[in-house]
Amino acid sequence: MATIRKWVLIQIFQVFCGLIQRTITIVPGMDLLSGTYIFAVLLACVVFQSGAQEKNYTVREEMPENVLIGDLLKDLNLSLIPDKSLTSPMQFKLVYKTGDVPLIRIEEGTGEIFTTGARIDREKLCAGIMMDAHCFYEVEVAVLPDEIFRLVKIRFLIEDINDNAPLFPATVINISIPENSAINSRYALPAAIDPDIGINGVQNYQLIKGQNIFGLDVIETPEGDKMPQLIVQKELDREEKDTYVMKVKVEDGGFPQRSSTAILQVSVADTNDNRPVFKEKEIEVSIPENAPVGTSVTQLHATDADIGENAKIHFYFSNLVSNIAKRLFHLNTTTGLITVKEPLDREESPSHKLLVLASDGGSVPARAMVLVNVTDINDNVPSIDIRYIINPTNGTVVLSENAPLNTKVALITVMDKDADHNGRVTCFTDHEVPFRLRPVFSNQFLLETAAYLDYESTREYAIKLLAADAGKPPLNQSSMLLVKVKDENDNAPVFTQPFISLSVPENNSPGTQLTKISATDADSGRNAEISYLLGTDAPSEFNLDHRTGILTAVKKLDREKQEKYYFTVLAKDNGMPPLMTNATVLVTVLDQNDNSPIFTHNEYNFYVPENLPRHGTVGLITVTDPDYGENSAVTLSILDVNDDFTIDPQTGVIRPNISFDREKQESYTFYVKAEDGGRVSRSSTAKVTINVVDVNDNKPVFVVPPSNYSYELVLPSTNPGTVVFKVVAIDNDTGMNAELHYSIVGGNTKGLFVIDQTTGNITLKEKCVVADLGLHRLVVKAKDLGQPDSLFNVVIVNLFVNETVTNATLIHELVRKSIEAPATQNIETADTSSPTSDYVKIMVAIVAGTITVILVIFITAVVRCRQPPHLKAAQKNKQNSEWVTPNPENRQMIMMKKKKKKKKKKHAPKNLLLNFVTIEETKADDADNDGNSVTLDLPIELEEQTMGKYNWGTTPTTFKPDSPDLARHYKSASPQPAFQIQPETPLNSKHHIIQELPLDNTFVACDSISKCSSSSSDPYSVSECSYPVTTFKTPVSVHTRPTDSRTSTIEICSEI
């Protein structure tokens, strides 16, 4: 409630001040006295409305640091101000001159006043004032923010403490006393000086070792000074003793008490019973401060009733006269004339007290007080003291252009050391600026903003402050205050083009400049500095210089990978906070003829039956070109003027102009050229091989054993599962017609040996016993898998089970007899050789064999290491070509490689299906078969996408729209009747099978680096290849089924 009452009173006082101001403007005439009263009221209103206050505190000198002196928040009742919406918390800011060391500090947040580390020395602060005058220290404090701004003048009354001891003018005091001095005569002693005041000053004197002859008394002068006097207590006799030595002690009244001593030496002299007398004991004179040196101040007159030397008067200043006065004035010791010794300065000391003593050599000198008043002369120009409320930077105040009205910049204090009119100062600015000076005290002004600032119109102000006094003639002073307007980031960058579209040819050089992106910013300085950035959606192919805005392509662009690039670019200024904007960039990559036509395969192998008619369809070649427009228009042609075949330039269909005859030529090779339509055309070639398919017309031929009369030694100690012999046969046909299966169809009555149907390896099935010694005859059959009818051959393999071969002639005779004997008999014989001789022979054979193997390995290694690299490459290429091309001379090698390749096959991709047609035949009238089934594996490759829809009796659906119907063509053109293969469909024993060619009749091409393994030279099967699109074959187990005579069972097994 009390707070509300105080606030209401403040508001009423403000209304009252407004009424007074309007009254002055209404009443034009009034007397001087009324005007003076009204002026005083107005001054009080101005001071009140400006928020100016004063506060007094008392502080003792020599106080330590961080001692709490007062609390402005409580002492000024600032906590009673009603709550307002303040832009910032209340802040107390000490305003002091730059370079000064403040004696106090103030907590900006709480308003608490503390002492600092600077020494508070009253004697130093108030050295130029009277001893008994009060000592004050003044500072100003600004209360912020502007909503509650006020300026508080704080006056600190410095209290004296007893920090100085009283001191005599000299450590030895000499005084002369006439011998006729009466008892209780008094003689003045030099007074001690104590800079402290009051109780801390000189309070008492003591005489030490007075010898009961002298005593000491203290008298107090009208000015309050205590003067010691020496009292004669006994009669003196110079002839008895002319000198007395004592001590005088002086004490102050402070706590703790301080004191000092001096030696007092008294000389007994002859008598002089009259002392001088001044004509005037108090004199007051005035002298202008500009009085030249030597000017007379006053003339003192003193008389003495004595005569002679006792009447001779000596004038001198008392030791109580200040050092400043002794420095400025001179006293003639003989005449008593006081003159100016040094130039006077009223501002330094306006008055001086000169205590003059006149002595005729007597005990008590005469005293006269001269008061010299120094009058003012307008000799000092006003001073302008700028104390910044907003801290400057390098002497310049930085003010935001968003600063509100009445923002306080600095406190301007004008002073003039002169007095009266000479010291009355006015302050103003010399030209129109958006700032004003608002008075707060009689000689202090607040510099604040009077209008809104605009950085774009004016970036800085040089405010010239003028101060002039009222002297005649007036003196003036000027000072410059610099205010720099700080730019605010209130404008975002603007692109000159919000949408940027440009084109660039592909295959550009990395670092090619595409365009320069530019933006502008209405701000300035760092706020107008623009950095260019790529948006987060920008691809890595582009780079944007953040300083220049130049857009470059850091990578080579490829239209075939990407034709258009959409991304954003950003323009960001360097303001705080930064502002940014974006623009969209479209980069179109123009096509260049930089891609040659691409064949789907580097090498094409087509398989055609030798009865294919002229102008029939051999196959289709597919070519692509990643370029665009005319650069991608491809034309096909056959190189080297080949008249045997033609190719459609647009569709790529190859047709023969000849009739095929495999016996005359089994393959044709030529190159096809693909050329695009670019201005500078590009081309590429592919190798085409057309293989003529053969029929099964050759029986297998045994190579090992070379004849039915050869034999092989088998040791009785051989472990079961050991390969004891390998049968090798070859077939001059190709493909499936040359693939052989081995079986034992005769002999082997004890079942001691078994044969691997694929490799021809004969292994020992059981451990040999004594009954197994002798010659064993095996009838081995080699059967090919040709279609429609397979062919076979047989050979006799003789295995001689014994420890050694001691009599080769005997063994050959046994072999000859076994040929004539039935196939079920085995010939047994005993070895009559000596065990000892056999052991020696075995050891010799082992040593010789080991040496031979080591020599062969060493020679082979040397030859291979010295072989030239180009011969190795040629040999490798030769092997690859033989691997791909079905050459009759290499049939045996191809067949053997196929056997090895089957063991290394992995799972193939799942995008193809491979069907096996297993034909099992049982012929009752074939005595050689012994009831064993003959198995043929026939692979058929189909595309996975069309397998479910394919009908073996209709046209294949996987042909391209412009591709010929090769399957129907082969069915109709084949000299052998075609038939439909259905799972588990029984067929007549006499039939012919011609396999459907792969869809499109396009052999999955094998280039030089894909290393096709045409291990199976079957003209109807697809060669195994490490190309991305490959076929695979999985071995199918051989099933033996009982069937009727002359019947065949066809079984189709599918595996994905």
Side-chain angles (χ1 to χ4, degrees), residues 508-676:
N508 58 289
S509 300
T512 301
Q513 295 185 2
L514 304 182
T515 187
K516 182 177 182 180
I517 298 173
S518 61
T520 59
D521 195 320
D523 294 322
S524 60
R526 290 187 59 84
N527 295 332
E529 294 176 1
I530 299 177
S531 299
Y532 299 93
L533 305 170
L534 288 174
T536 56
D537 58 344
S540 61
E541 286 81 0
F542 301 94
N543 180 55
L544 183 63
D545 189 286
H546 72 280
R547 184 175 59 85
T548 62
I550 295 178
L551 181 66
T552 57
V554 296
K555 296 181 181 179
K556 184 164 68 173
L557 302 180
D558 190 354
R559 188 206 64 82
E560 287 70 35
K561 293 182 179 179
Q562 187 169 349
E563 183 177 4
K564 294 181 183 295
Y565 295 88
Y566 284 93
F567 56 91
T568 57
V569 293
L570 305 176
K572 181 180 72 172
D573 61 27
N574 289 334
M576 290 299 294
L579 301 177
M580 67 175 60
T581 186
N582 58 52
T584 302
V585 177
L586 169 61
V587 179
T588 302
V589 183
L590 303 179
D591 183 61
Q592 299 287 326
N593 190 22
D594 59 337
N595 291 282
S596 299
I598 301 173
F599 290 90
T600 55
H601 307 288
N602 293 334
E603 182 177 343
Y604 292 86
N605 285 307
F606 298 103
Y607 294 86
V608 297
E610 59 182 347
N611 58 355
L612 180 68
R614 290 189 179 185
H615 308 300
T617 300
V618 172
L620 176 68
I621 292 179
T622 304
V623 184
T624 59
D625 195 324
D627 291 326
Y628 179 75
E630 291 296 323
N631 296 331
S632 63
V634 180
T635 303
L636 297 171
S637 61
I638 297 177
L639 296 177
D640 299 331
V641 190
N642 191 327
D643 294 335
D644 295 340
F645 300 89
T646 61
I647 187 170
D648 190 295
Q650 307 301 326
T651 64
V653 175
I654 299 176
R655 303 178 186 276
N657 293 331
I658 58 174
S659 297
F660 296 105
D661 186 356
R662 200 197 72 80
E663 283 69 23
K664 292 182 179 180
Q665 186 173 351
E666 64 179 12
S667 66
Y668 298 86
T669 301
F670 56 86
Y671 288 87
V672 174
K673 176 182 178 182
E675 184 175 10
D676 61 26

